[in-house]
Amino acid sequence: MKDLSLTQEYFICAVNGKGKLSGFNVDRLVCLLASGLLELQLSGCVSIEEGKKRILSGSGKSVSVTGPLPEEKVFLRPLYDYLDQGKPLKTEKILEDYYYSFSGKRLNALIGSIGESLAREGLAQAAEPGLFEGVGRFLPTRDAINRVIDLVRSELLEEGEVTEDIAALVILLEKSGVIREYFSRYEQKEMKERLAAIVKSPEGTLVKEMLDYVNSMLDMIAVFIAVYT
């Protein structure tokens, strides 16, 4: 069985018992988009950089395509193709296009592509979409869930090396609130302290950048909600 990616791991943990990422839980949806962007960055095919000015309460960061999409990341094709516009896209613009478009077409395409990649590997079971839903449901297998949770425990709760992917995954699980569903309060505290130590270390620069980027996206969504609701 091949290794799972950051976005696949997050998706496995974040869908609800019906195999759906609820539109009522904005943080989970934002963290799904963040996981895709961070994975593309870690793969070397996009760059996330600080813009010339800060917009709203976010970071003013922009995303640029810098190389071809790796074959093993084909499930991120909908996001990559959207980003590949020949010019940098501001994070604010990406959030608007994914979460404030009328049809939800872009978000549904990303969710469907990730879910289908897991179904092909036997790690999720596809189900028909519910009434008025534009994308199918994908229920991760118990083995898939255990595989991700065991991997997080082995790196964050034991004295092993913490990879960038797992550090990013824990940040996303914590910021989306998903972490409470799989780990005790004591485990959450231990992981938070471990990540804090990593961020302060010379080797933790990229992890800190990931944390800052996710925080900035959630801040921007909070501002959008306050302004438009």
Side-chain angles (χ1 to χ4, degrees):
M1 185 181 295
K2 68 179 184 180
D3 292 340
L4 291 169
S5 78
L6 168 62
T7 310
Q8 289 172 322
E9 289 169 341
Y10 174 77
F11 186 93
I12 285 171
C13 295
V15 294
N16 62 23
K18 296 181 179 179
K20 179 183 177 183
L21 273 167
S22 174
F24 295 105
N25 194 321
V26 178
D27 287 355
R28 292 198 185 201
L29 293 173
V30 171
C31 284
L32 177 70
L33 179 58
S35 71
L37 292 169
L38 291 172
E39 184 168 341
L40 291 174
Q41 181 189 35
L42 289 170
S43 300
C45 55
V46 307
S47 65
I48 302 173
E49 299 178 349
E50 190 77 40
K52 293 182 179 179
K53 61 180 180 179
R54 300 175 71 88
I55 299 176
L56 299 177
S57 65
S59 64
K61 291 184 183 294
S62 61
V63 182
S64 304
V65 169
T66 56
L69 182 70
E71 184 177 349
E72 66 272 16
K73 306 296 182 183
V74 67
F75 54 89
L76 292 176
R77 171 66 65 183
L79 177 58
Y80 177 87
D81 286 349
Y82 161 77
L83 296 170
D84 192 14
Q85 298 187 23
K87 61 181 180 180
L89 290 177
K90 293 184 182 299
T91 300
E92 298 90 309
K93 173 63 173 172
I94 298 170
L95 286 171
E96 287 176 356
D97 287 348
Y98 269 83
Y99 295 101
Y100 290 93
S101 63
F102 180 75
S103 66
K105 182 179 178 180
R106 292 187 181 92
L107 184 59
N108 287 341
L110 179 60
I111 291 172
S113 186
I114 298 167
E116 287 165 6
S117 73
L118 294 170
R120 286 194 297 269
E121 293 294 322
L123 297 172
Q125 181 178 356
E128 291 297 321
L131 190 63
F132 304 122
E133 292 179 354
V135 64
R137 300 166 185 257
F138 299 91
L139 289 83
T141 64
R142 176 52 56 184
D143 285 346
I145 295 172
N146 288 339
R147 178 178 170 185
V148 175
I149 300 309
D150 288 346
L151 185 59
V152 171
R153 281 201 171 97
S154 68
E155 291 200 19
L156 265 296
L157 297 176
E158 297 176 9
E159 294 301 321
E161 180 184 358
V162 180
T163 61
E164 293 168 346
D165 276 13
I166 293 299
L169 175 61
V170 173
I171 290 169
L172 293 164
L173 294 177
E174 195 272 327
K175 293 299 178 180
S176 63
V178 175
I179 199 167
R180 295 191 296 268
E181 299 177 11
Y182 297 100
F183 299 97
S184 68
R185 289 185 179 180
Y186 175 78
E187 289 175 321
Q188 292 174 50
K189 180 175 178 291
E190 289 287 300
M191 286 188 284
K192 193 170 185 178
E193 290 175 354
R194 184 86 186 275
L195 280 177
I198 293 171
V199 166
K200 293 177 182 177
S201 70
E203 297 80 19
T205 302
L206 184 55
V207 176
K208 183 180 186 301
E209 289 176 359
M210 291 176 182
L211 178 59
D212 290 345
Y213 188 60
V214 175
N215 281 334
S216 73
M217 292 184 74
L218 293 173
D219 286 346
M220 280 184 279
I221 281 291
V223 171
F224 284 141
I225 291 173
V227 171
Y228 294 110
T229 57

